[in-house]
Amino acid sequence: MSASYNPVIRIVPNSESVDHYAAEMVISQIRTKPDSVISLPTGSTPENLYNLLVLAHKNDDLDFSKVTIFNLDEYWPISKNHPSSYAYYMRKHLVDHININSTNWYIPNGEAPDAQAESERFEAVLQQFTPDLTILGIGPGTTCHIGFNEKGSTIDSTTRYVALDPQTRSANSKFFQNPTDTPTGAITQGIADILRAKKILLIAKGEGKAWGIHRTINGEIGATAPSSYLRCHPAVTIMLDQAAAHLL
Ligand code: GLP
């Protein structure tokens, strides 16, 4: 096991404060380094963060023209135009509303016929960059997933196909019109990819994340809680609302 560090833990009054802090971090990253490389999550947690970034672009000239965005993951298989795909989510919440160069946005292709070949292609592109900042959410219940790195993920894992944990499928089925359509797998950046970022911000909101946050920070570091690997990185901030922090 690599050296372990203590993440910076910030507990704020409510979920809006989490969104504002995360947005400030991204905005200051881009203003300081306009050609920043940023890895981004999906899900309900960062939706308002993306609203704030779009507002900063529209009202305060936040310039994304030199920014590179990598998504952490995508369901597989899924059509890019499926309203529950992460490609669709990113266009809806962020990419279609900012001045990012479309060639500077990378997301695993859920339509690729071969998930392993697609994972290798995405990993090869990712390896050409060093993310300056990676923003993460955390999976539901006891999954402790980051990206879609479910239990069993190793610290040296890279981009690959993963089968989704039943808790993940159940929580994410709310995003599918017909819950049984929730995919059984996904392509995700690996733990090693996530830990290559210079800085990492994990954001979590609500009671449903409290167990996972407690386990991330206090349990043994290892594959039974992939988010615990974040303690092997020297520059991690964990930003929580009161509900997500209540077991700490
Ligand atoms: C999803 C994504 C993760 C995300 C997490 C939490 O399945 N793959 O990247 O962080 O689960 O989702 P939510 O924010 O909806 O709780």
Side-chain angles (χ1 to χ4, degrees), residues 41-46 73 86 137-139 145 147-148 168 172 175 209:
T42 49
S44 42
T45 308
D73 48 21
Y86 288 163
I138 184 169
H145 77 218
F148 268 132
T168 302
N172 287 12
F175 297 112
K209 300 298 173 69

Side-chain angles (χ1 to χ4, degrees), residues 75-97:
Y75 294 112
W76 188 90
I78 199 163
S79 155
K80 288 175 189 169
N81 292 322
H82 189 297
S84 307
S85 74
Y86 288 163
Y88 187 96
Y89 171 106
M90 288 303 291
R91 291 195 304 271
K92 176 176 168 193
H93 292 290
L94 185 67
V95 171
D96 281 356
H97 311 287

Side-chain angles (χ1 to χ4, degrees), residues 210-232:
W211 190 94
I213 288 299
H214 180 266
R215 175 65 186 84
T216 301
I217 294 168
N218 295 309
E220 188 191 340
I221 297 175
T224 55
S227 52
S228 65
Y229 290 124
L230 294 174
R231 284 155 48 208
C232 299

Side-chain angles (χ1 to χ4, degrees), residues 70 106 119-129 196:
F70 280 90
Y106 300 96
S119 300
E120 287 167 14
R121 182 200 69 79
F122 185 85
E123 178 68 22
V125 180
L126 183 58
Q127 285 293 335
Q128 292 167 33
F129 295 84
R196 274 203 314 116

Side-chain angles (χ1 to χ4, degrees), residues 100-119:
I100 190 164
N101 183 331
S102 61
T103 59
N104 291 348
W105 170 42
Y106 300 96
I107 182 164
N109 180 5
E111 297 179 357
D114 178 338
Q116 189 180 332
E118 173 56 14
S119 300

